[in-house]
Amino acid sequence: MAHTLIADVIREETLLIGGEWVPGNGGEIEVENPATEETIGVAYKASADDAEAGILAAQAAFPRWAATPVGERVALLRRLGAVIRDRADRFAEIIHREQGSPPALARKLHVDVPLAVIDQTADALDSFEFTRQIGHSLVVREPVGVVAAITPWNLPLHQVVVKVVPSLAAGATVVHKPAELTPLTAFELARAISDAGFPPGTFNLVPGSGKDIGSLLTRHAAVDHVSFTGSTPVGAQVAAAAAQTIKKVTLELGGKSASVILADVDDELLTKAVKVTVANCYLNAGQTCTALSRLIVPADRLSEVEQVAIAAASKYAPGERLGPLISATHRMKVLEYTEGARSTGGRRIDTFDQSALPDRGYYARPAVFSDVDPKSDLAQDEIFGPVLSILAADDDQHAIDLANDSMFGLGGAVWALSEQSALQTARQIRTGQIDINGAAFNARAPFGGYKRSGLGREIGDFGIEDVLEIKSVQR
Ligand code: ADP
């Protein structure tokens, strides 16, 4: 009974700083439900002084937390998993309301996936090798210090968990600035971290705008590492600001991932490939950085692919299977690519009835373009909406070249009957992830991008490694 879980309008007036819930002095954020356009929450922001207090609390908590035995940190991570699992319905309901995802997706994608990440991080920490002997040197991995986590709105729990949990696992302390559009999930997570029993100051919540609080975190001398997820232009600004004090940075930025169907596929695998690609592209209304937004197919199979894609896309009714886009502004941007000036790079083939869009909410009709010009905006830009571009390749090498014809390098997929050519192709595509024949997400495998999709890796052993310094002790 969703409505009994949370108030109609949630009020979050206090921030978590140094283990205390203190009033936020930076004004209010009104949170809107993008599916209904109603106000569903009010969250208080941190002032610059509050953010400063959060950073100093993290700095003060660092020495003790860094020295806490690994076994205790593992136990606390497992407690955090248990607390979130207990409150999973509540998390899913908040995410459904502030981010717009349909209820089933809010639970499966937005809550169950980060829960798996927490479990896997605890396992990774349990067996992590913090020391290594190289000749007469003992090489020691030590936590980096204070990590500033700056996160986006598209996956309001997962994007936070993949930064905060490996940082806490490593023995670093954290200051978190969530996206302004989705702060309510961040407050709920802060409560779970506090209730799980993490020591005061190990995790601090300082909501606010990117311009004020985000940039303060990236410039502050007491922050040692900035972990940012968001757009590539803002990522570049974050890295430039962090460079002034030589902070380490982890950047998870945009993507334009390709799903590549090789020439050897039979009808069955081709059908599966197209259906899975459409589902992946439209997941979270297309608002995932790994969305398979380009489908690259053998030219002589194009019409077959188009038929399957049109049928698959028509099942994504906005308001039912397809959630809304996050805001009116974002929908305007997506419509530029589907109805506006940037829609000219391909042939629109979907048959979805525009009149079936819900009256309220920032919904967009699911779009499929075929014969897309590889140099067009449709093929090159990260649209972050339910828009699939199909590109025709002359042969497998051309398909690989098209896949690599992107400034991004985040994810991708390969479909082939031959395991060997699938693997060879996967190795030739310059991205941080590739799924062969629909293989599932691995909550322990490193996640991150090549090229302008980012720097560093999150999740599991590599996520822990990302926030560790390395010391060589000669003896
Ligand atoms: P999106 O709008 O897709 O979430 P952005 O890249 O605009 O992507 O923002 C991602 C996160 O970065 C948000 O939390 C935002 O407030 C923050 N942010 C925006 N501008 C800056 C900045 N100049 N410095 C630090 N953080 C920023």
Side-chain angles (χ1 to χ4, degrees), residues 150-154 177-181 208-211 213-216 218 228-235 237-238 241 384:
I150 301 176
T151 57
W153 46 259
N154 67 328
K177 192 209 83 64
E180 275 188 284
L181 292 171
S209 73
K211 175 170 65 59
I213 303 303
S215 74
L216 187 153
T218 60
F228 168 86
T229 299
S231 61
T232 295
V234 177
Q237 284 175 33
V238 165
F384 230 59

PDB file of all heavy atoms in Angstrom, residues 150-154 177-181 208-211 213-216 218 228-235 237-238 241 384, ligand 1:
ATOM      1  N   ILE A 150      29.373  13.625  -5.965  1.00  0.00           N
ATOM      2  CA  ILE A 150      28.413  14.532  -6.619  1.00  0.00           C
ATOM      3  C   ILE A 150      27.636  13.695  -7.625  1.00  0.00           C
ATOM      4  O   ILE A 150      28.223  13.111  -8.544  1.00  0.00           O
ATOM      5  CB  ILE A 150      29.157  15.694  -7.309  1.00  0.00           C
ATOM      6  CG1 ILE A 150      29.984  16.470  -6.280  1.00  0.00           C
ATOM      7  CG2 ILE A 150      28.165  16.609  -8.028  1.00  0.00           C
ATOM      8  CD1 ILE A 150      30.835  17.592  -6.876  1.00  0.00           C
ATOM      9  N   THR A 151      26.324  13.629  -7.442  1.00  0.00           N
ATOM     10  CA  THR A 151      25.552  12.611  -8.180  1.00  0.00           C
ATOM     11  C   THR A 151      24.386  13.204  -8.981  1.00  0.00           C
ATOM     12  O   THR A 151      23.891  14.284  -8.655  1.00  0.00           O
ATOM     13  CB  THR A 151      25.026  11.545  -7.190  1.00  0.00           C
ATOM     14  OG1 THR A 151      24.244  12.207  -6.187  1.00  0.00           O
ATOM     15  CG2 THR A 151      26.172  10.794  -6.532  1.00  0.00           C
ATOM     16  N   PRO A 152      23.935  12.474 -10.003  1.00  0.00           N
ATOM     17  CA  PRO A 152      22.840  12.945 -10.871  1.00  0.00           C
ATOM     18  C   PRO A 152      21.489  12.370 -10.444  1.00  0.00           C
ATOM     19  O   PRO A 152      21.406  11.612  -9.479  1.00  0.00           O
ATOM     20  CB  PRO A 152      23.255  12.378 -12.222  1.00  0.00           C
ATOM     21  CG  PRO A 152      23.856  11.059 -11.868  1.00  0.00           C
ATOM     22  CD  PRO A 152      24.505  11.217 -10.517  1.00  0.00           C
ATOM     23  N   TRP A 153      20.455  12.726 -11.217  1.00  0.00           N
ATOM     24  CA  TRP A 153      19.084  12.369 -10.850  1.00  0.00           C
ATOM     25  C   TRP A 153      18.587  11.086 -11.510  1.00  0.00           C
ATOM     26  O   TRP A 153      17.518  10.606 -11.180  1.00  0.00           O
ATOM     27  CB  TRP A 153      18.132  13.514 -11.261  1.00  0.00           C
ATOM     28  CG  TRP A 153      18.396  14.017 -12.652  1.00  0.00           C
ATOM     29  CD1 TRP A 153      19.088  15.157 -12.978  1.00  0.00           C
ATOM     30  CD2 TRP A 153      18.021  13.406 -13.902  1.00  0.00           C
ATOM     31  NE1 TRP A 153      19.165  15.284 -14.350  1.00  0.00           N
ATOM     32  CE2 TRP A 153      18.519  14.227 -14.949  1.00  0.00           C
ATOM     33  CE3 TRP A 153      17.310  12.245 -14.248  1.00  0.00           C
ATOM     34  CZ2 TRP A 153      18.337  13.931 -16.304  1.00  0.00           C
ATOM     35  CZ3 TRP A 153      17.130  11.941 -15.592  1.00  0.00           C
ATOM     36  CH2 TRP A 153      17.643  12.773 -16.603  1.00  0.00           C
ATOM     37  N   ASN A 154      19.337  10.520 -12.455  1.00  0.00           N
ATOM     38  CA  ASN A 154      18.731   9.449 -13.269  1.00  0.00           C
ATOM     39  C   ASN A 154      18.528   8.144 -12.499  1.00  0.00           C
ATOM     40  O   ASN A 154      17.561   7.433 -12.718  1.00  0.00           O
ATOM     41  CB  ASN A 154      19.531   9.222 -14.559  1.00  0.00           C
ATOM     42  CG  ASN A 154      20.901   8.651 -14.319  1.00  0.00           C
ATOM     43  OD1 ASN A 154      21.525   8.933 -13.282  1.00  0.00           O
ATOM     44  ND2 ASN A 154      21.391   7.870 -15.241  1.00  0.00           N
ATOM     45  N   LYS A 177      26.761  15.361  -2.232  1.00  0.00           N
ATOM     46  CA  LYS A 177      25.824  16.351  -2.772  1.00  0.00           C
ATOM     47  C   LYS A 177      24.959  15.697  -3.849  1.00  0.00           C
ATOM     48  O   LYS A 177      25.425  15.412  -4.945  1.00  0.00           O
ATOM     49  CB  LYS A 177      26.550  17.549  -3.391  1.00  0.00           C
ATOM     50  CG  LYS A 177      25.555  18.686  -3.669  1.00  0.00           C
ATOM     51  CD  LYS A 177      25.928  19.568  -4.821  1.00  0.00           C
ATOM     52  CE  LYS A 177      25.551  19.049  -6.170  1.00  0.00           C
ATOM     53  NZ  LYS A 177      24.096  18.915  -6.423  1.00  0.00           N
ATOM     54  N   PRO A 178      23.689  15.447  -3.524  1.00  0.00           N
ATOM     55  CA  PRO A 178      22.812  14.818  -4.524  1.00  0.00           C
ATOM     56  C   PRO A 178      22.348  15.832  -5.563  1.00  0.00           C
ATOM     57  O   PRO A 178      22.526  17.036  -5.399  1.00  0.00           O
ATOM     58  CB  PRO A 178      21.627  14.351  -3.679  1.00  0.00           C
ATOM     59  CG  PRO A 178      21.591  15.259  -2.500  1.00  0.00           C
ATOM     60  CD  PRO A 178      23.015  15.698  -2.241  1.00  0.00           C
ATOM     61  N   ALA A 179      21.722  15.337  -6.632  1.00  0.00           N
ATOM     62  CA  ALA A 179      21.129  16.202  -7.657  1.00  0.00           C
ATOM     63  C   ALA A 179      19.954  16.960  -7.055  1.00  0.00           C
ATOM     64  O   ALA A 179      19.211  16.422  -6.226  1.00  0.00           O
ATOM     65  CB  ALA A 179      20.665  15.360  -8.837  1.00  0.00           C
ATOM     66  N   GLU A 180      19.765  18.177  -7.506  1.00  0.00           N
ATOM     67  CA  GLU A 180      18.666  18.991  -6.972  1.00  0.00           C
ATOM     68  C   GLU A 180      17.293  18.427  -7.300  1.00  0.00           C
ATOM     69  O   GLU A 180      16.336  18.673  -6.582  1.00  0.00           O
ATOM     70  CB  GLU A 180      18.750  20.410  -7.537  1.00  0.00           C
ATOM     71  CG  GLU A 180      19.676  21.297  -6.735  1.00  0.00           C
ATOM     72  CD  GLU A 180      19.576  22.723  -7.221  1.00  0.00           C
ATOM     73  OE1 GLU A 180      20.128  23.018  -8.285  1.00  0.00           O
ATOM     74  OE2 GLU A 180      18.921  23.524  -6.535  1.00  0.00           O
ATOM     75  N   LEU A 181      17.182  17.678  -8.407  1.00  0.00           N
ATOM     76  CA  LEU A 181      15.868  17.163  -8.802  1.00  0.00           C
ATOM     77  C   LEU A 181      15.450  15.949  -7.973  1.00  0.00           C
ATOM     78  O   LEU A 181      14.273  15.616  -7.924  1.00  0.00           O
ATOM     79  CB  LEU A 181      15.879  16.800 -10.295  1.00  0.00           C
ATOM     80  CG  LEU A 181      16.010  17.997 -11.248  1.00  0.00           C
ATOM     81  CD1 LEU A 181      16.238  17.531 -12.684  1.00  0.00           C
ATOM     82  CD2 LEU A 181      14.760  18.877 -11.176  1.00  0.00           C
ATOM     83  N   GLY A 208      22.317  20.689  -2.403  1.00  0.00           N
ATOM     84  CA  GLY A 208      22.383  22.069  -2.896  1.00  0.00           C
ATOM     85  C   GLY A 208      22.619  22.062  -4.389  1.00  0.00           C
ATOM     86  O   GLY A 208      22.638  21.003  -5.021  1.00  0.00           O
ATOM     87  N   SER A 209      22.812  23.241  -4.926  1.00  0.00           N
ATOM     88  CA  SER A 209      22.996  23.322  -6.378  1.00  0.00           C
ATOM     89  C   SER A 209      24.426  22.948  -6.748  1.00  0.00           C
ATOM     90  O   SER A 209      25.338  22.985  -5.911  1.00  0.00           O
ATOM     91  CB  SER A 209      22.693  24.737  -6.859  1.00  0.00           C
ATOM     92  OG  SER A 209      23.741  25.595  -6.471  1.00  0.00           O
ATOM     93  N   GLY A 210      24.620  22.610  -8.016  1.00  0.00           N
ATOM     94  CA  GLY A 210      25.958  22.292  -8.499  1.00  0.00           C
ATOM     95  C   GLY A 210      26.858  23.514  -8.455  1.00  0.00           C
ATOM     96  O   GLY A 210      28.020  23.453  -8.067  1.00  0.00           O
ATOM     97  N   LYS A 211      26.259  24.625  -8.864  1.00  0.00           N
ATOM     98  CA  LYS A 211      26.989  25.889  -8.957  1.00  0.00           C
ATOM     99  C   LYS A 211      27.528  26.306  -7.575  1.00  0.00           C
ATOM    100  O   LYS A 211      28.667  26.764  -7.464  1.00  0.00           O
ATOM    101  CB  LYS A 211      25.993  26.919  -9.506  1.00  0.00           C
ATOM    102  CG  LYS A 211      26.417  28.336  -9.597  1.00  0.00           C
ATOM    103  CD  LYS A 211      25.380  29.132 -10.392  1.00  0.00           C
ATOM    104  CE  LYS A 211      23.995  29.253  -9.758  1.00  0.00           C
ATOM    105  NZ  LYS A 211      23.871  29.855  -8.447  1.00  0.00           N
ATOM    106  N   ILE A 213      27.127  24.456  -4.067  1.00  0.00           N
ATOM    107  CA  ILE A 213      27.700  23.429  -3.190  1.00  0.00           C
ATOM    108  C   ILE A 213      28.614  22.482  -3.969  1.00  0.00           C
ATOM    109  O   ILE A 213      29.702  22.130  -3.510  1.00  0.00           O
ATOM    110  CB  ILE A 213      26.568  22.652  -2.468  1.00  0.00           C
ATOM    111  CG1 ILE A 213      25.687  23.627  -1.681  1.00  0.00           C
ATOM    112  CG2 ILE A 213      27.151  21.579  -1.553  1.00  0.00           C
ATOM    113  CD1 ILE A 213      26.416  24.481  -0.663  1.00  0.00           C
ATOM    114  N   GLY A 214      28.182  22.096  -5.173  1.00  0.00           N
ATOM    115  CA  GLY A 214      29.025  21.203  -5.992  1.00  0.00           C
ATOM    116  C   GLY A 214      30.390  21.822  -6.228  1.00  0.00           C
ATOM    117  O   GLY A 214      31.431  21.200  -5.992  1.00  0.00           O
ATOM    118  N   SER A 215      30.399  23.076  -6.675  1.00  0.00           N
ATOM    119  CA  SER A 215      31.696  23.670  -6.999  1.00  0.00           C
ATOM    120  C   SER A 215      32.512  23.927  -5.737  1.00  0.00           C
ATOM    121  O   SER A 215      33.737  23.820  -5.754  1.00  0.00           O
ATOM    122  CB  SER A 215      31.531  24.922  -7.860  1.00  0.00           C
ATOM    123  OG  SER A 215      31.056  25.969  -7.090  1.00  0.00           O
ATOM    124  N   LEU A 216      31.840  24.222  -4.609  1.00  0.00           N
ATOM    125  CA  LEU A 216      32.585  24.375  -3.348  1.00  0.00           C
ATOM    126  C   LEU A 216      33.339  23.079  -3.005  1.00  0.00           C
ATOM    127  O   LEU A 216      34.513  23.102  -2.633  1.00  0.00           O
ATOM    128  CB  LEU A 216      31.595  24.759  -2.234  1.00  0.00           C
ATOM    129  CG  LEU A 216      32.126  25.123  -0.860  1.00  0.00           C
ATOM    130  CD1 LEU A 216      31.154  26.071  -0.161  1.00  0.00           C
ATOM    131  CD2 LEU A 216      32.362  23.915   0.034  1.00  0.00           C
ATOM    132  N   THR A 218      34.362  20.794  -5.048  1.00  0.00           N
ATOM    133  CA  THR A 218      35.453  20.488  -5.995  1.00  0.00           C
ATOM    134  C   THR A 218      36.670  21.373  -5.750  1.00  0.00           C
ATOM    135  O   THR A 218      37.767  21.047  -6.188  1.00  0.00           O
ATOM    136  CB  THR A 218      35.002  20.666  -7.464  1.00  0.00           C
ATOM    137  OG1 THR A 218      34.600  22.029  -7.659  1.00  0.00           O
ATOM    138  CG2 THR A 218      33.869  19.746  -7.819  1.00  0.00           C
ATOM    139  N   PHE A 228      32.419  12.138  -9.414  1.00  0.00           N
ATOM    140  CA  PHE A 228      31.327  12.858 -10.069  1.00  0.00           C
ATOM    141  C   PHE A 228      30.644  11.973 -11.108  1.00  0.00           C
ATOM    142  O   PHE A 228      31.320  11.301 -11.896  1.00  0.00           O
ATOM    143  CB  PHE A 228      31.904  14.103 -10.762  1.00  0.00           C
ATOM    144  CG  PHE A 228      30.938  14.780 -11.701  1.00  0.00           C
ATOM    145  CD1 PHE A 228      30.036  15.721 -11.230  1.00  0.00           C
ATOM    146  CD2 PHE A 228      30.921  14.471 -13.058  1.00  0.00           C
ATOM    147  CE1 PHE A 228      29.132  16.340 -12.092  1.00  0.00           C
ATOM    148  CE2 PHE A 228      30.019  15.074 -13.923  1.00  0.00           C
ATOM    149  CZ  PHE A 228      29.129  16.021 -13.442  1.00  0.00           C
ATOM    150  N   THR A 229      29.325  11.989 -11.131  1.00  0.00           N
ATOM    151  CA  THR A 229      28.583  11.390 -12.246  1.00  0.00           C
ATOM    152  C   THR A 229      27.650  12.435 -12.808  1.00  0.00           C
ATOM    153  O   THR A 229      26.906  13.070 -12.056  1.00  0.00           O
ATOM    154  CB  THR A 229      27.783  10.151 -11.804  1.00  0.00           C
ATOM    155  OG1 THR A 229      28.697   9.171 -11.315  1.00  0.00           O
ATOM    156  CG2 THR A 229      27.004   9.545 -12.964  1.00  0.00           C
ATOM    157  N   GLY A 230      27.704  12.646 -14.115  1.00  0.00           N
ATOM    158  CA  GLY A 230      26.836  13.627 -14.761  1.00  0.00           C
ATOM    159  C   GLY A 230      27.270  13.809 -16.198  1.00  0.00           C
ATOM    160  O   GLY A 230      27.862  12.909 -16.805  1.00  0.00           O
ATOM    161  N   SER A 231      27.000  14.990 -16.710  1.00  0.00           N
ATOM    162  CA  SER A 231      27.268  15.233 -18.133  1.00  0.00           C
ATOM    163  C   SER A 231      28.756  15.480 -18.373  1.00  0.00           C
ATOM    164  O   SER A 231      29.491  15.897 -17.475  1.00  0.00           O
ATOM    165  CB  SER A 231      26.454  16.437 -18.590  1.00  0.00           C
ATOM    166  OG  SER A 231      26.843  17.569 -17.846  1.00  0.00           O
ATOM    167  N   THR A 232      29.195  15.256 -19.604  1.00  0.00           N
ATOM    168  CA  THR A 232      30.607  15.424 -19.951  1.00  0.00           C
ATOM    169  C   THR A 232      31.072  16.880 -19.784  1.00  0.00           C
ATOM    170  O   THR A 232      32.143  17.103 -19.205  1.00  0.00           O
ATOM    171  CB  THR A 232      30.864  14.878 -21.366  1.00  0.00           C
ATOM    172  OG1 THR A 232      30.622  13.454 -21.327  1.00  0.00           O
ATOM    173  CG2 THR A 232      32.293  15.103 -21.824  1.00  0.00           C
ATOM    174  N   PRO A 233      30.307  17.900 -20.215  1.00  0.00           N
ATOM    175  CA  PRO A 233      30.790  19.278 -20.014  1.00  0.00           C
ATOM    176  C   PRO A 233      30.974  19.627 -18.532  1.00  0.00           C
ATOM    177  O   PRO A 233      31.966  20.257 -18.164  1.00  0.00           O
ATOM    178  CB  PRO A 233      29.700  20.148 -20.645  1.00  0.00           C
ATOM    179  CG  PRO A 233      28.971  19.246 -21.580  1.00  0.00           C
ATOM    180  CD  PRO A 233      29.080  17.869 -21.021  1.00  0.00           C
ATOM    181  N   VAL A 234      30.023  19.226 -17.686  1.00  0.00           N
ATOM    182  CA  VAL A 234      30.169  19.526 -16.259  1.00  0.00           C
ATOM    183  C   VAL A 234      31.332  18.704 -15.680  1.00  0.00           C
ATOM    184  O   VAL A 234      32.103  19.204 -14.852  1.00  0.00           O
ATOM    185  CB  VAL A 234      28.852  19.284 -15.480  1.00  0.00           C
ATOM    186  CG1 VAL A 234      29.050  19.535 -13.988  1.00  0.00           C
ATOM    187  CG2 VAL A 234      27.750  20.199 -16.011  1.00  0.00           C
ATOM    188  N   GLY A 235      31.505  17.477 -16.141  1.00  0.00           N
ATOM    189  CA  GLY A 235      32.635  16.654 -15.702  1.00  0.00           C
ATOM    190  C   GLY A 235      33.968  17.348 -15.979  1.00  0.00           C
ATOM    191  O   GLY A 235      34.884  17.316 -15.152  1.00  0.00           O
ATOM    192  N   GLN A 237      34.412  20.578 -16.162  1.00  0.00           N
ATOM    193  CA  GLN A 237      34.531  21.687 -15.193  1.00  0.00           C
ATOM    194  C   GLN A 237      34.970  21.178 -13.828  1.00  0.00           C
ATOM    195  O   GLN A 237      35.788  21.801 -13.148  1.00  0.00           O
ATOM    196  CB  GLN A 237      33.179  22.380 -14.999  1.00  0.00           C
ATOM    197  CG  GLN A 237      32.762  23.301 -16.118  1.00  0.00           C
ATOM    198  CD  GLN A 237      31.342  23.839 -15.872  1.00  0.00           C
ATOM    199  OE1 GLN A 237      30.928  24.049 -14.729  1.00  0.00           O
ATOM    200  NE2 GLN A 237      30.608  24.040 -16.936  1.00  0.00           N
ATOM    201  N   VAL A 238      34.407  20.041 -13.430  1.00  0.00           N
ATOM    202  CA  VAL A 238      34.749  19.444 -12.134  1.00  0.00           C
ATOM    203  C   VAL A 238      36.237  19.081 -12.107  1.00  0.00           C
ATOM    204  O   VAL A 238      36.955  19.387 -11.155  1.00  0.00           O
ATOM    205  CB  VAL A 238      33.859  18.201 -11.853  1.00  0.00           C
ATOM    206  CG1 VAL A 238      34.406  17.342 -10.731  1.00  0.00           C
ATOM    207  CG2 VAL A 238      32.433  18.644 -11.541  1.00  0.00           C
ATOM    208  N   ALA A 241      38.382  22.211 -11.868  1.00  0.00           N
ATOM    209  CA  ALA A 241      38.375  22.799 -10.525  1.00  0.00           C
ATOM    210  C   ALA A 241      39.212  21.944  -9.577  1.00  0.00           C
ATOM    211  O   ALA A 241      40.000  22.466  -8.778  1.00  0.00           O
ATOM    212  CB  ALA A 241      36.944  22.915 -10.009  1.00  0.00           C
ATOM    213  N   PHE A 384      19.577  10.967 -24.014  1.00  0.00           N
ATOM    214  CA  PHE A 384      19.062  10.691 -22.668  1.00  0.00           C
ATOM    215  C   PHE A 384      17.535  10.645 -22.666  1.00  0.00           C
ATOM    216  O   PHE A 384      16.872  11.154 -21.761  1.00  0.00           O
ATOM    217  CB  PHE A 384      19.597  11.722 -21.671  1.00  0.00           C
ATOM    218  CG  PHE A 384      20.189  11.091 -20.437  1.00  0.00           C
ATOM    219  CD1 PHE A 384      21.245  10.198 -20.523  1.00  0.00           C
ATOM    220  CD2 PHE A 384      19.697  11.400 -19.163  1.00  0.00           C
ATOM    221  CE1 PHE A 384      21.787   9.614 -19.378  1.00  0.00           C
ATOM    222  CE2 PHE A 384      20.231  10.822 -18.014  1.00  0.00           C
ATOM    223  CZ  PHE A 384      21.291   9.928 -18.131  1.00  0.00           C
TER     224      PHE A 384
HETATM  225  P1  ADP B   1      22.462  16.019 -14.851  1.00  0.00           P
HETATM  226  O1  ADP B   1      21.711  17.310 -14.947  1.00  0.00           O
HETATM  227  O2  ADP B   1      22.309  15.124 -16.003  1.00  0.00           O
HETATM  228  O3  ADP B   1      22.325  15.370 -13.503  1.00  0.00           O
HETATM  229  P2  ADP B   1      24.852  17.502 -14.530  1.00  0.00           P
HETATM  230  O4  ADP B   1      26.180  17.163 -15.096  1.00  0.00           O
HETATM  231  O5  ADP B   1      24.241  18.809 -14.875  1.00  0.00           O
HETATM  232  O6  ADP B   1      23.978  16.323 -15.012  1.00  0.00           O
HETATM  233  O7  ADP B   1      24.857  17.392 -12.964  1.00  0.00           O
HETATM  234  C1  ADP B   1      25.332  16.265 -12.240  1.00  0.00           C
HETATM  235  C2  ADP B   1      25.604  16.674 -10.816  1.00  0.00           C
HETATM  236  O8  ADP B   1      26.649  17.666 -10.831  1.00  0.00           O
HETATM  237  C3  ADP B   1      24.439  17.344 -10.088  1.00  0.00           C
HETATM  238  O9  ADP B   1      24.491  16.965  -8.723  1.00  0.00           O
HETATM  239  C4  ADP B   1      24.733  18.815 -10.250  1.00  0.00           C
HETATM  240  O10 ADP B   1      24.148  19.617  -9.235  1.00  0.00           O
HETATM  241  C5  ADP B   1      26.243  18.831 -10.125  1.00  0.00           C
HETATM  242  N1  ADP B   1      26.921  19.991 -10.753  1.00  0.00           N
HETATM  243  C6  ADP B   1      26.474  20.785 -11.751  1.00  0.00           C
HETATM  244  N2  ADP B   1      27.364  21.758 -12.037  1.00  0.00           N
HETATM  245  C7  ADP B   1      28.429  21.567 -11.205  1.00  0.00           C
HETATM  246  C8  ADP B   1      29.679  22.232 -11.002  1.00  0.00           C
HETATM  247  N3  ADP B   1      30.032  23.276 -11.746  1.00  0.00           N
HETATM  248  N4  ADP B   1      30.507  21.760 -10.064  1.00  0.00           N
HETATM  249  C9  ADP B   1      30.180  20.675  -9.327  1.00  0.00           C
HETATM  250  N5  ADP B   1      29.016  20.027  -9.454  1.00  0.00           N
HETATM  251  C10 ADP B   1      28.133  20.442 -10.376  1.00  0.00           C
END
